Amino acid sequence: MMPVKAFSEEWASAFKDEVNRSSTYKSAAKGWKWTVGLVVEAEPDKHFPESRGVVMDLFDGEARDIKVGPAADAQKCDFVITAPYSRWKEVATKQLDATKGMLQGKLKLKGDLPTIVRYTKASQEMTECTTRVPVAWPDEN
Amino acid sequence: MARRKLERDPQAELVAYSDQEPSAFASMLGGLIEANIRSNPAKLEDFDRLVARVGIFVTDIEEGVTLDFKGGRLVVHNGLEATRTITIRAEAETVMSLSNLRIGPLGMPIYFDEVGRGVALKLLKGRLKIDGLIPNVMTVNAVTRVFSVT
């Protein structure tokens, strides 16, 4: 698979396919019915000049839709995870574990904590799915 | 553990933070416990009875918190404070799985399902250490119930 531009519509589509290919995610996320927004904060010095939002419509073990748009759209989701571009890159390249990142405050989480903790395995698998999408990072070109 | 019944204002502060800037870990644990006890009367009863200082140290991020349960009120401190009743040391993933332990009959954590077996195995292998476990088994069980999201 050809690398896709980071946090682009092509990336969202490839990410959605990875999530829906994962049997681990399908079983771990049974019963999940909330939207999740990822806010990717701008880092102009890393050639990521504008913040973007990833809106994930996840339902009962399936990614029904994953879209990239304005950060404000992602902020309206039931759960919102916010971090600068380079932190998300660390997550997607397995340099930062998402659970540890949240405990360290490197990824900021907004939403009902007991619910997200109940689905720790699903969120870990979702992170795994991001690592399987080949990405062309803007600060590496 | 001291036992007492509290008459409480539903808006009363249940969880406080001793540090002006609570760490992300402290905020997360405090927030998790507060959400649990506000949504589950059985957990609130445990919380009202619980008097213990519980340290939790996450070995792979080298961060700790102290949960000072004061019988109906919790004060969360950044870092490990002195004179703790029990101290739990484990990796981040294990700490999260502790909160996914299911609670069974008589309020005992269930160690025979997938999550429980994983936790028990880590305890046996020394990847989960609980200092003060033997003399405080009931306290550990009460903390687990308050901490559990299931």
Side-chain angles (χ1 to χ4, degrees):
Chain A
M1 186 182 167
M2 286 287 287
V4 289
K5 209 171 149 190
F7 309 114
S8 61
E9 277 302 331
E10 298 73 39
W11 172 85
S13 171
F15 179 33
K16 181 186 155 193
D17 291 347
E18 280 298 334
V19 173
N20 286 333
R21 258 196 290 270
S22 168
S23 55
T24 306
Y25 178 78
K26 196 176 179 61
S27 62
K30 269 266 171 282
W32 180 273
K33 53 185 177 184
W34 300 273
T35 55
V36 177
L38 310 180
V39 176
V40 187
E41 293 175 328
E43 280 185 280
D45 58 325
K46 299 271 182 0
H47 306 289
F48 195 78
E50 276 182 35
S51 296
R52 274 182 219 166
V54 179
V55 173
M56 305 197 280
D57 176 4
L58 309 169
F59 190 84
D60 204 24
E62 185 199 351
R64 294 196 295 200
D65 195 16
I66 300 183
K67 272 187 198 158
V68 175
D73 289 355
Q75 279 156 346
K76 289 178 202 147
C77 290
D78 302 312
F79 292 87
V80 182
I81 309 173
T82 304
Y85 158 78
S86 51
R87 285 270 187 253
W88 285 117
K89 184 182 170 187
E90 283 174 13
V91 172
T93 54
K94 288 194 173 185
Q95 293 172 67
L96 175 66
D97 175 84
T99 305
K100 284 187 218 168
M102 281 189 236
L103 295 182
Q104 291 172 302
K106 290 177 176 175
L107 305 174
K108 297 197 189 320
L109 170 70
K110 200 186 87 188
D112 183 61
L113 279 170
T115 303
I116 199 95
V117 169
R118 211 170 288 136
Y119 287 92
T120 303
K121 197 173 169 189
S123 60
Q124 281 168 339
E125 178 57 15
M126 178 147 275
T127 306
E128 277 297 312
C129 291
T130 65
T131 69
R132 293 197 282 264
V133 177
V135 175
W137 300 100
D139 54 332
E140 288 180 9
N141 296 327
Chain B
M1 282 190 292
R3 287 174 180 270
R4 62 185 172 128
K5 191 85 182 167
L6 293 178
E7 290 297 327
R8 178 199 330 267
D9 171 359
Q11 300 303 314
E13 181 187 71
L14 299 176
V15 178
Y17 298 87
S18 67
D19 298 85
Q20 209 164 19
E21 280 188 32
S23 67
F25 184 34
S27 304
M28 197 155 177
L29 284 193
L32 181 65
I33 291 169
E34 182 160 12
N36 278 346
I37 56 181
R38 285 199 186 274
S39 63
N40 185 323
K43 289 183 197 294
L44 184 60
E45 271 183 36
D46 272 315
F47 182 73
D48 282 343
R49 285 196 293 262
L50 192 53
V51 178
R53 272 163 87 88
V54 179
I56 301 182
F57 190 79
V58 183
T59 52
D60 49 353
I61 61 171
E62 299 201 324
E63 261 199 66
V65 299
T66 304
L67 306 172
D68 195 358
F69 292 96
K70 294 167 178 275
R73 194 162 174 266
L74 167 65
V75 179
V76 185
H77 303 263
N78 290 348
L80 292 182
E81 293 284 299
T83 60
R84 300 179 302 274
T85 320
I86 55 172
T87 305
I88 299 165
R89 295 172 201 273
E91 291 180 344
E93 192 188 338
T94 308
V95 170
M96 299 315 278
S97 57
L98 284 177
S99 59
N100 274 299
L101 273 175
R102 286 200 303 127
I103 306 299
L106 307 173
M108 300 293 287
I110 294 173
Y111 290 105
F112 51 79
D113 65 359
E114 190 189 344
V115 175
R117 279 197 304 271
V119 168
L121 200 63
K122 279 171 182 162
L123 202 53
L124 289 172
K125 287 183 170 175
R127 289 175 62 195
L128 164 63
K129 291 182 181 160
I130 307 179
D131 304 335
L133 170 65
I134 302 298
N136 298 295
V137 171
M138 299 304 279
T139 304
V140 172
N141 285 342
V143 171
T144 305
R145 289 195 293 272
V146 165
F147 195 48
S148 168
V149 297
T150 60

